[in-house]
Amino acid sequence: MFLHIFTLFLLLSPSLTISTTFTYNTLDISSSLQSTLNLFSKQQEQHEQLILKKHPQNSHSSSLSLQIHPRTTLHSPHDSHNDYKSLTQSRLARDTARVKYIISKTEFHLRGISRADLKPMEAFLSAEDFEAPVSSGTSLGSGEYFSRVGVGSPSKEFYMVIDTGSDVTWLQCQPCSDCYQQTDPVYTPSSSSTYSPITCNSRQCSSLEVSACRNTACLYQVSYGDGSYTVGDFVSETVSFGPSGKISNVAIGCGHDNEGLFVGAAGLLGLGGGALSLTSQIKATSFSYCLVDRDSTKSSSLEFNSVKPADSVTAPLLKNNKVNTFYYVGLTGFSVGGQNIAIPPSLFEMDEAGSGGVIVDSGTAITRLPTEAYNSLRNSFTRLTQHLKSASGVALFDTCYDFSSMSSVKVPTVALHFAGGQMLNLPAKNYLIPVDSSGTYCFAFAETASSMSIIGNVQQQGIRVHYDLGRSQVAFSPNNC
């Protein structure tokens, strides 16, 4: 009886508290700020040009591997931006457009709109119709990453955006009715012996969301959330993976009319889960990538059919029967400072209609969470950082700090919890990022009005993400870049 009374006293007494131990990470401020300054230095550009000459060896002899480079090798950041803050704001604006595209694409499928309801753009009716290193690509205001892909016979290499949120692979082609500027010469179909138009009655053509015909040849159109689009011939070509191998008869878009923010790259490498994605066409049983730090000059690899790292944190790969492009993962919640946050798991679940859920996306930079989940995560983080000097919000970030007088700082840990019980601890630089070169850092999560959550590439950086398509599993390994 005395024990019960004493326990009740402890619970009700306002003067007594139970001690809680929190966990912290160290954020290296000096090093990350130096990286922001290096992006705008000539010395950095010279160093990046040297990266192009390196060809890292394939770590798995049975896998196909692609070279991936930072966007700074394609276009100098100070050609478009005066400083790192301008670069950050541009990147976040494009990231917002990217999220709108993902959400609208999902809603399009959930509403049951068929391909027959879609009409090609007027461009179709105009007279003009007819193992690899991975590095950051933030220098053009985008969170995308780029690969070096061989196309045609003989093979010619092109810079292409890698995108797990898209299916159709395409590149700009001659003759160009409207092409943006790219680093490589524009692909010329007549120079390849393996170029072959795809017919309108083919399975590949019928799998396109928007298509048309011209003289029995299939035409394609893909539009993106930021207003970018590509229109052209849908063709069959040979795709080469550096020295690791090549695959013939891959359906790709040969774009004659292309507009948007793809400047520098020749096109896009679709790594989504749909029938037309590169992963599906080459019948890959798995693929993995490691996205290096956004401002880094280092590189890593994109591999197909490679072995899952032994030290991985695993999560179930879920299927959305209404939307097959995106990779859904079983996320159950978060912890901050080593303590679980009270977020209803239902906020991360996919309902029977296919709404909600959590996707892993290489093309989105900042992780988006439904408002209730984001508020809980942010509030838990700010409660443990009240002693740090705050700063005004920047763009979509509402929680920022002034670290200008510090060389390093201890911040609460942040971890993702997955269905099955495993959790992924994020490095501090994966959730507190610089938004200028003066020491302003922001909490790199944002809210969304949508029920869908997106795990972005800032949270993935420095972590090998392995998609085991056969076993329906996603694995995260922090030490395999």
Side-chain angles (χ1 to χ4, degrees):
M1 179 68 178
F2 173 77
L3 179 61
H4 290 302
I5 295 175
F6 180 70
T7 302
L8 181 63
F9 171 76
L10 287 177
L11 293 173
L12 298 178
S13 174
S15 61
L16 293 177
T17 58
I18 299 175
S19 176
T20 301
T21 301
F22 297 102
T23 56
Y24 291 83
N25 279 336
T26 298
L27 177 65
D28 187 342
I29 297 169
S30 297
S31 177
S32 60
L33 287 184
Q34 187 58 52
S35 295
T36 68
L37 295 171
N38 286 344
L39 283 179
F40 292 85
S41 71
K42 291 294 183 182
Q43 180 180 3
Q44 173 80 355
E45 292 178 21
Q46 293 170 357
H47 177 62
E48 288 165 343
Q49 292 303 319
L50 293 177
I51 295 178
L52 297 179
K53 301 177 181 179
K54 299 180 181 180
H55 296 277
Q57 296 187 5
N58 188 5
S59 58
H60 304 288
S61 59
S62 61
S63 67
L64 296 172
S65 179
L66 286 171
Q67 293 189 3
I68 302 178
H69 300 276
R71 203 158 193 168
T72 49
T73 62
L74 304 181
H75 193 278
S76 175
H78 49 63
D79 285 349
S80 304
H81 305 283
N82 295 323
D83 52 35
Y84 192 80
K85 185 173 183 178
S86 171
L87 173 63
T88 298
Q89 291 173 329
S90 177
R91 182 183 69 176
L92 293 177
R94 178 168 172 83
D95 202 47
T96 298
R98 165 76 179 189
V99 172
K100 289 181 179 178
Y101 158 69
I102 289 175
I103 293 172
S104 62
K105 180 179 176 69
T106 304
E107 291 178 347
F108 162 83
H109 287 283
L110 296 182
R111 291 174 182 174
I113 301 176
S114 68
R115 287 193 296 271
D117 299 320
L118 299 175
K119 302 297 181 183
M121 296 171 58
E122 291 183 2
F124 274 128
L125 306 177
S126 68
E128 291 84 2
D129 280 342
F130 27 79
E131 176 184 347
V134 181
S135 305
S136 170
T138 62
S139 64
L140 289 185
S142 170
E144 296 159 348
Y145 289 77
F146 291 75
S147 178
R148 196 76 169 143
V149 184
V151 178
S153 300
S155 176
K156 294 183 179 179
E157 291 190 331
F158 299 91
Y159 286 111
M160 299 179 74
V161 176
I162 62 171
D163 188 1
T164 59
S166 298
D167 289 325
V168 177
T169 294
W170 60 269
L171 77 166
Q172 297 196 116
C173 289
Q174 296 285 9
C176 277
S177 62
D178 190 1
C179 286
Y180 58 81
Q181 183 181 1
Q182 67 178 55
T183 301
D184 302 300
V186 176
Y187 168 71
T188 303
S190 60
S191 67
S192 173
S193 63
T194 48
Y195 175 94
S196 177
I198 290 176
T199 60
C200 292
N201 60 2
S202 67
R203 174 184 55 81
Q204 294 98 323
C205 191
S206 62
S207 296
L208 288 165
E209 288 186 351
V210 183
S211 62
C213 284
R214 172 153 301 181
N215 299 326
T216 73
C218 182
L219 304 178
Y220 80 99
Q221 173 189 313
V222 179
S223 300
Y224 301 91
D226 56 12
S228 303
Y229 66 84
T230 175
V231 177
D233 298 304
F234 206 46
V235 305
S236 173
E237 254 296 12
T238 295
V239 176
S240 300
F241 300 79
S244 60
K246 61 183 180 180
I247 303 291
S248 58
N249 300 318
V250 176
I252 65 173
C254 183
H256 302 290
D257 187 355
N258 320 281
E259 293 188 8
L261 300 178
F262 299 108
V263 178
L268 183 143
L269 200 65
L271 300 179
L276 292 176
S277 74
L278 184 64
T279 50
S280 296
Q281 291 196 65
I282 68 175
K283 296 180 172 55
T285 57
S286 68
F287 74 97
S288 73
Y289 56 75
C290 184
L291 307 178
V292 299
D293 296 356
R294 56 199 173 277
D295 300 327
S296 174
T297 60
K298 297 179 181 179
S299 58
S300 184
S301 62
L302 165 65
E303 298 180 351
F304 298 88
N305 299 326
S306 58
V307 178
K308 181 186 75 174
D311 61 345
S312 300
V313 171
T314 59
L317 183 62
L318 307 178
K319 185 73 173 177
N320 187 334
N321 293 325
K322 299 293 182 65
V323 188
N324 56 16
T325 298
F326 304 127
Y327 295 103
Y328 287 78
V329 64
L331 180 74
T332 58
F334 290 83
S335 60
V336 173
Q339 305 299 314
N340 290 342
I341 302 174
I343 301 178
S346 58
L347 291 178
F348 303 120
E349 293 175 354
M350 187 185 346
D351 62 25
E352 294 182 356
S355 297
V358 183
I359 68 170
V360 182
D361 182 42
S362 67
T364 300
I366 307 302
T367 290
R368 301 306 207 281
L369 303 172
T371 299
E372 182 181 348
Y374 170 74
N375 287 341
S376 296
L377 176 64
R378 178 202 57 201
N379 294 343
S380 296
F381 189 81
T382 55
R383 275 195 293 268
L384 297 182
T385 57
Q386 295 181 33
H387 61 290
L388 299 176
K389 185 178 180 180
S390 63
S392 300
V394 176
L396 54 81
F397 296 135
D398 61 11
T399 302
C400 301
Y401 302 88
D402 181 358
F403 295 153
S404 58
S405 62
M406 310 173 77
S407 59
S408 66
V409 61
K410 286 191 176 298
V411 294
T413 58
V414 174
L416 285 69
H417 293 248
F418 298 109
Q422 298 196 33
M423 69 176 185
L424 176 65
N425 288 299
L426 298 177
K429 61 185 178 181
N430 287 30
Y431 54 89
L432 277 172
I433 62 172
V435 294
D436 57 30
S437 298
S438 303
T440 305
Y441 283 70
C442 294
F443 190 53
F445 291 84
E447 66 176 324
T448 174
S450 170
S451 60
M452 173 191 283
S453 298
I454 305 172
I455 299 177
N457 60 45
V458 168
Q459 281 64 44
Q460 298 175 54
Q461 67 183 23
I463 298 170
R464 179 160 293 279
V465 184
H466 183 275
Y467 300 81
D468 190 329
L469 306 178
R471 294 184 174 85
S472 297
Q473 186 181 79
V474 184
F476 302 89
S477 182
N479 303 307
N480 284 279
C481 284

Short mmCIF file of all heavy atoms in Angstrom, two decimals, residues 322 350-355:
data_model
loop_
_atom_site.label_atom_id
_atom_site.label_comp_id
_atom_site.label_asym_id
_atom_site.label_seq_id
_atom_site.Cartn_x
_atom_site.Cartn_y
_atom_site.Cartn_z
N LYS A 322 -1.96 1.48 -57.40
CA LYS A 322 -2.43 2.56 -58.25
C LYS A 322 -1.29 3.37 -58.88
O LYS A 322 -1.46 3.97 -59.93
CB LYS A 322 -3.32 3.51 -57.43
CG LYS A 322 -4.57 2.87 -56.85
CD LYS A 322 -5.54 2.45 -57.94
CE LYS A 322 -6.80 1.86 -57.36
NZ LYS A 322 -7.61 2.82 -56.57
N MET A 350 -0.37 3.90 -45.91
CA MET A 350 -1.09 4.03 -47.17
C MET A 350 -2.47 3.39 -47.00
O MET A 350 -2.56 2.26 -46.49
CB MET A 350 -0.31 3.32 -48.27
CG MET A 350 -0.87 3.53 -49.67
SD MET A 350 -0.03 2.57 -50.97
CE MET A 350 1.45 1.99 -50.19
N ASP A 351 -3.52 4.10 -47.40
CA ASP A 351 -4.85 3.52 -47.23
C ASP A 351 -5.19 2.61 -48.41
O ASP A 351 -4.40 2.46 -49.35
CB ASP A 351 -5.91 4.61 -47.05
CG ASP A 351 -6.04 5.55 -48.26
OD1 ASP A 351 -5.70 5.13 -49.39
OD2 ASP A 351 -6.49 6.69 -48.08
N GLU A 352 -6.36 2.00 -48.36
CA GLU A 352 -6.75 1.03 -49.38
C GLU A 352 -6.89 1.66 -50.77
O GLU A 352 -6.74 0.99 -51.78
CB GLU A 352 -8.07 0.36 -48.98
CG GLU A 352 -7.95 -0.52 -47.74
CD GLU A 352 -9.26 -1.20 -47.40
OE1 GLU A 352 -10.27 -0.92 -48.09
OE2 GLU A 352 -9.28 -1.99 -46.44
N ALA A 353 -7.13 2.96 -50.81
CA ALA A 353 -7.28 3.65 -52.08
C ALA A 353 -5.93 4.04 -52.68
O ALA A 353 -5.88 4.50 -53.83
CB ALA A 353 -8.16 4.89 -51.91
N GLY A 354 -4.84 3.86 -51.92
CA GLY A 354 -3.51 4.20 -52.42
C GLY A 354 -3.02 5.57 -51.99
O GLY A 354 -1.94 6.00 -52.40
N SER A 355 -3.80 6.28 -51.17
CA SER A 355 -3.38 7.60 -50.69
C SER A 355 -2.43 7.45 -49.50
O SER A 355 -2.46 6.45 -48.79
CB SER A 355 -4.60 8.43 -50.28
OG SER A 355 -5.43 8.68 -51.38
#
